Amino acid sequence: MSIALTPLEDKLIIKVSEPETQTASGLYIPDNAKEKPQQGEVLAVGPGRRDDKGERIPVDVEVGQHVLFSKYGGTEVNYKGEDYLIVAARDILAILN
Amino acid sequence: MSIALTPLEDKLIIKVSEPETQTASGLYIPDNAKEKPQQGEVLAVGPGRRDDKGERIPVDVEVGQHVLFSKYGGTEVNYKGEDYLIVAARDILAILN
Amino acid sequence: MSIALTPLEDKLIIKVSEPETQTASGLYIPDNAKEKPQQGEVLAVGPGRRDDKGERIPVDVEVGQHVLFSKYGGTEVNYKGEDYLIVAARDILAILN
Amino acid sequence: MSIALTPLEDKLIIKVSEPETQTASGLYIPDNAKEKPQQGEVLAVGPGRRDDKGERIPVDVEVGQHVLFSKYGGTEVNYKGEDYLIVAARDILAILN
Amino acid sequence: MSIALTPLEDKLIIKVSEPETQTASGLYIPDNAKEKPQQGEVLAVGPGRRDDKGERIPVDVEVGQHVLFSKYGGTEVNYKGEDYLIVAARDILAILN
Amino acid sequence: MSIALTPLEDKLIIKVSEPETQTASGLYIPDNAKEKPQQGEVLAVGPGRRDDKGERIPVDVEVGQHVLFSKYGGTEVNYKGEDYLIVAARDILAILN
Amino acid sequence: MSIALTPLEDKLIIKVSEPETQTASGLYIPDNAKEKPQQGEVLAVGPGRRDDKGERIPVDVEVGQHVLFSKYGGTEVNYKGEDYLIVAARDILAILN
């Protein structure tokens, strides 16, 4: 799966998984949770933010990984009928193995 | 396309695309999105902000690229009948290929 | 006990202890406390945040330790019927010996 | 044109242009713009703020340039019947060529 | 006096003194004070926060000292029937000699 | 003119000028200005704040200069019947020549 | 005059002067002042905060000096019938000579 969007800084392009997929992987987010995380596949990874010396800070997430992320802070876009989310790497909570 | 405005720091001059162009490229922003990004062409790029040592931090966007950006934080100007937006590079979400 | 979640940065995956366990260990959180801490076992530890030079800052908590933490700031997930909390290491108050 | 005010840090003394001048240069600020920028001539430039090592950070604007700036953050003064604005260099959006 | 809690970063475990003890030592907090400090004995001291280079910043308080601290920011716990407070070293106002 | 107050850090002791003096120098602050600056003579200058390395950052204002400053942030004191203002150097807008 | 309180970081123990003393020294705080400073004698001075490299930043105030300070941010304590204020050095406005 590829997409014609190149993220900048430490941003990621994520294909958000459907609620059914979440149950299949055994992960379930309770309805009464204060901050509900979402799950999805990473399609593109930005080159990383620059530190105080102008060098790139590597991003700890790779294309193809399935991640758990906080939905707040992300920006929704629709490209050729598919929904994507642009999320900063620092909003990723964990990688799903 | 050129413009007689030289942006400072990490600011960009952007010619905002019409909604029709957005549909043609396959990118569509849902009406119910919390933060609606916009699309446009980069006409001018500032020299970059200076880091703590006074050196320029390079800007990751080039003149001629089409970018997706958060419309908040930008400043609208009209020059010879055309609308432009002055946006900081850190408000650019992704480059459209 | 293991879990298929790999935390990023300085995040921890914690199996929250039941209230009964808390009494057994002699630790009791008064009902009228302003900020009620919780107790749990650390299942996974992130690689640590990167400092201004891009190097990892080690996390002071190890897998298997029982910790006291502030429940605010954590994110609840349910994996195969078990409740977990993803908490940043800086929200850990103390290690229970 | 000179003025008996010496700005400090990265502040600029600006002679704000009349609305007529703005139309002549082809630049027009729409009435419905969220943040209306203003146009003016730079009369004096401060020596620049000092960085963490006590050295001056050069100001990217020169006396005599016409600039576009955000009017918020500036301070209005009237000297011998003329209106001036004291604006920080970081509130300058672009230089008009 | 010892306790089975190991504080992290620059946190302290404090046994809060009774109001009677406070009068005995000659220290009295007026009822109408805006921010009422509390008094207690330090039972355990964390290893210190890490600075920007990853090195520990030493904590200026030692086990056994009696300290005056701001009660806000602390977290109350009860261990085997005794009340303790977990307080950050930066909330310590003074050491009582 | 001298005063028995030694300012600390980057603070200045300023003798605020009367409104009449302001007209005489040709400087006039419009009544409808959003943030009205004030004018006065610098009587004492602090040694400067210390930077991250513990060295003093020099203050760009000298005793005897007449300055334009933002009145907010200053603290009014009355010494032997005269009104003074203690203002941080960073609230000075410009030096009047 | 001595006191059995050792302040930490950049904190000071101050014996607040009575209003009569303030008139005697010629310093008078107007009733309508926005932020009313207070006057007092410094009884104890902390060792100073640590900078980013873990070294102490010296405190610019000495025991025995009379200082003018902002009363906000201080903490009131009463020791053997006397009122004291614990104030951070950065809340000291000026030294009274």
Side-chain angles (χ1 to χ4, degrees):
Chain A
M1 191 184 240
S2 83
I3 188 168
L5 286 171
T6 304
L8 293 181
E9 305 266 312
D10 66 339
K11 295 212 169 56
L12 313 171
I13 310 287
I14 288 176
K15 178 81 196 85
V16 181
S17 304
E18 300 299 314
E20 291 77 34
T21 311
Q22 293 191 8
T23 311
S25 77
L27 191 85
Y28 165 76
I29 312 304
D31 275 348
N32 59 346
K34 229 178 14 183
E35 181 192 2
K36 286 192 200 183
Q38 280 185 316
Q39 191 181 339
E41 185 187 349
V42 179
L43 298 190
V45 177
R49 288 182 302 130
R50 289 178 190 273
D51 65 16
D52 289 352
K53 289 179 174 152
E55 282 165 42
R56 300 280 190 193
I57 302 168
V59 179
D60 296 334
V61 184
E62 290 168 26
V63 170
Q65 286 182 325
H66 286 78
V67 293
L68 200 67
F69 54 91
S70 166
K71 69 179 275 193
Y72 302 108
T75 304
E76 298 172 19
V77 296
N78 182 301
Y79 180 76
K80 294 186 177 164
E82 295 277 340
D83 288 326
Y84 301 100
L85 209 74
I86 304 179
V87 179
R90 63 181 161 269
D91 288 326
I92 301 299
L93 294 165
I95 299 163
L96 284 155
N97 306 325
Chain B
M1 192 183 240
S2 83
I3 188 168
L5 287 171
T6 304
L8 293 180
E9 304 266 313
D10 67 338
K11 295 213 168 54
L12 313 171
I13 310 287
I14 288 177
K15 179 83 196 83
V16 181
S17 303
E18 300 298 315
E20 290 79 34
T21 311
Q22 292 191 7
T23 310
S25 77
L27 191 85
Y28 165 76
I29 312 304
D31 275 348
N32 59 345
K34 228 178 18 182
E35 182 193 1
K36 286 191 200 183
Q38 282 185 315
Q39 192 181 339
E41 186 188 348
V42 179
L43 299 190
V45 177
R49 288 182 301 130
R50 289 179 189 274
D51 65 17
D52 289 353
K53 289 178 175 154
E55 282 165 44
R56 301 281 189 192
I57 302 168
V59 180
D60 296 335
V61 184
E62 291 168 25
V63 170
Q65 285 181 327
H66 286 77
V67 293
L68 200 67
F69 54 92
S70 166
K71 69 179 275 191
Y72 302 108
T75 305
E76 297 172 20
V77 295
N78 182 301
Y79 180 75
K80 293 187 177 161
E82 296 275 341
D83 288 326
Y84 301 100
L85 209 75
I86 303 180
V87 179
R90 63 180 161 270
D91 288 325
I92 301 298
L93 294 165
I95 299 163
L96 284 154
N97 305 325
Chain C
M1 190 183 246
S2 82
I3 188 168
L5 286 172
T6 304
L8 292 181
E9 306 266 311
D10 66 339
K11 296 214 168 54
L12 313 171
I13 310 287
I14 288 176
K15 178 82 195 85
V16 181
S17 304
E18 300 299 314
E20 291 78 34
T21 312
Q22 293 191 6
T23 310
S25 76
L27 191 84
Y28 165 76
I29 312 303
D31 274 349
N32 59 346
K34 229 178 13 182
E35 181 191 2
K36 285 192 200 183
Q38 281 185 315
Q39 192 182 337
E41 185 187 348
V42 179
L43 298 190
V45 177
R49 288 182 302 131
R50 289 179 190 274
D51 65 16
D52 289 351
K53 289 178 175 152
E55 282 166 43
R56 300 280 191 193
I57 302 168
V59 179
D60 296 334
V61 183
E62 290 168 25
V63 170
Q65 286 182 326
H66 286 77
V67 293
L68 200 67
F69 54 92
S70 166
K71 68 181 274 192
Y72 302 108
T75 304
E76 297 172 20
V77 295
N78 182 300
Y79 180 76
K80 294 185 177 165
E82 295 278 340
D83 287 326
Y84 301 99
L85 208 74
I86 304 180
V87 179
R90 63 181 162 269
D91 288 326
I92 300 298
L93 293 165
I95 298 163
L96 283 154
N97 306 325
Chain D
M1 191 183 241
S2 83
I3 188 168
L5 286 171
T6 303
L8 293 180
E9 304 266 313
D10 67 338
K11 295 213 169 56
L12 313 171
I13 310 287
I14 289 176
K15 178 83 195 84
V16 180
S17 305
E18 300 299 315
E20 290 78 34
T21 312
Q22 292 191 8
T23 311
S25 77
L27 191 84
Y28 165 76
I29 313 303
D31 275 348
N32 60 345
K34 227 177 20 182
E35 182 192 359
K36 286 192 199 183
Q38 281 184 315
Q39 192 181 339
E41 186 187 347
V42 179
L43 299 190
V45 177
R49 288 182 302 130
R50 288 177 190 276
D51 64 18
D52 288 352
K53 289 179 175 153
E55 282 165 44
R56 301 281 190 192
I57 302 168
V59 179
D60 296 334
V61 184
E62 291 169 23
V63 169
Q65 285 181 326
H66 286 79
V67 292
L68 199 68
F69 54 92
S70 166
K71 69 179 275 192
Y72 301 108
T75 304
E76 297 172 19
V77 296
N78 181 301
Y79 181 75
K80 294 186 177 162
E82 297 275 341
D83 288 327
Y84 301 100
L85 208 76
I86 304 179
V87 179
R90 63 181 161 269
D91 288 325
I92 301 298
L93 294 165
I95 299 163
L96 284 154
N97 305 325
Chain E
M1 191 183 246
S2 83
I3 187 167
L5 286 172
T6 304
L8 293 181
E9 305 266 311
D10 66 339
K11 295 214 168 54
L12 314 171
I13 310 287
I14 288 175
K15 177 85 195 83
V16 181
S17 304
E18 300 298 316
E20 291 78 35
T21 312
Q22 293 190 6
T23 311
S25 76
L27 191 84
Y28 165 76
I29 312 303
D31 275 348
N32 59 346
K34 229 177 15 183
E35 182 191 1
K36 285 192 200 183
Q38 281 186 314
Q39 192 182 336
E41 185 187 349
V42 179
L43 299 189
V45 177
R49 288 182 301 131
R50 289 179 189 273
D51 64 17
D52 289 351
K53 290 180 175 152
E55 282 165 43
R56 299 281 191 193
I57 302 168
V59 179
D60 296 334
V61 184
E62 291 168 26
V63 169
Q65 285 182 326
H66 286 78
V67 293
L68 199 68
F69 54 92
S70 166
K71 69 180 274 194
Y72 301 109
T75 304
E76 298 172 19
V77 296
N78 182 299
Y79 180 75
K80 294 185 178 166
E82 296 277 340
D83 288 325
Y84 301 100
L85 208 75
I86 304 179
V87 179
R90 62 182 162 269
D91 288 326
I92 301 298
L93 294 164
I95 299 162
L96 283 154
N97 305 324
Chain F
M1 190 183 244
S2 83
I3 188 168
L5 287 172
T6 303
L8 292 181
E9 304 266 313
D10 67 338
K11 295 213 170 53
L12 313 171
I13 311 287
I14 289 175
K15 177 85 196 82
V16 181
S17 304
E18 300 298 316
E20 291 79 34
T21 312
Q22 292 191 7
T23 311
S25 76
L27 191 85
Y28 166 76
I29 312 303
D31 275 349
N32 59 345
K34 227 176 18 181
E35 182 192 1
K36 286 192 199 184
Q38 281 185 315
Q39 192 181 339
E41 186 187 347
V42 179
L43 298 190
V45 177
R49 288 182 301 130
R50 289 178 190 274
D51 64 17
D52 288 352
K53 289 179 176 152
E55 282 165 42
R56 300 280 190 194
I57 302 169
V59 179
D60 296 334
V61 184
E62 291 168 23
V63 170
Q65 285 182 325
H66 285 78
V67 293
L68 199 68
F69 54 92
S70 165
K71 69 180 276 192
Y72 302 108
T75 304
E76 297 172 19
V77 295
N78 182 301
Y79 181 75
K80 294 186 177 164
E82 296 276 341
D83 288 327
Y84 301 98
L85 208 75
I86 304 179
V87 179
R90 63 181 162 269
D91 288 325
I92 301 298
L93 294 164
I95 299 162
L96 284 154
N97 304 325
Chain G
M1 191 183 243
S2 82
I3 188 168
L5 286 173
T6 304
L8 292 181
E9 304 267 312
D10 66 339
K11 295 214 169 53
L12 313 171
I13 310 287
I14 289 176
K15 178 84 195 84
V16 180
S17 305
E18 300 298 315
E20 291 78 35
T21 312
Q22 292 191 8
T23 310
S25 76
L27 191 85
Y28 166 76
I29 312 302
D31 275 349
N32 59 346
K34 230 178 13 184
E35 182 192 1
K36 286 193 199 183
Q38 281 185 314
Q39 192 181 338
E41 185 187 348
V42 178
L43 298 190
V45 177
R49 288 182 301 132
R50 289 179 189 273
D51 64 17
D52 288 352
K53 291 180 175 151
E55 282 165 43
R56 300 280 190 194
I57 302 169
V59 179
D60 296 334
V61 183
E62 291 168 24
V63 169
Q65 285 182 326
H66 286 78
V67 292
L68 199 69
F69 55 92
S70 165
K71 70 179 274 193
Y72 302 108
T75 304
E76 298 172 18
V77 296
N78 182 301
Y79 181 76
K80 294 186 177 164
E82 296 276 341
D83 288 326
Y84 301 99
L85 208 75
I86 304 179
V87 179
R90 62 181 163 268
D91 288 326
I92 302 298
L93 294 165
I95 299 162
L96 283 154
N97 305 325

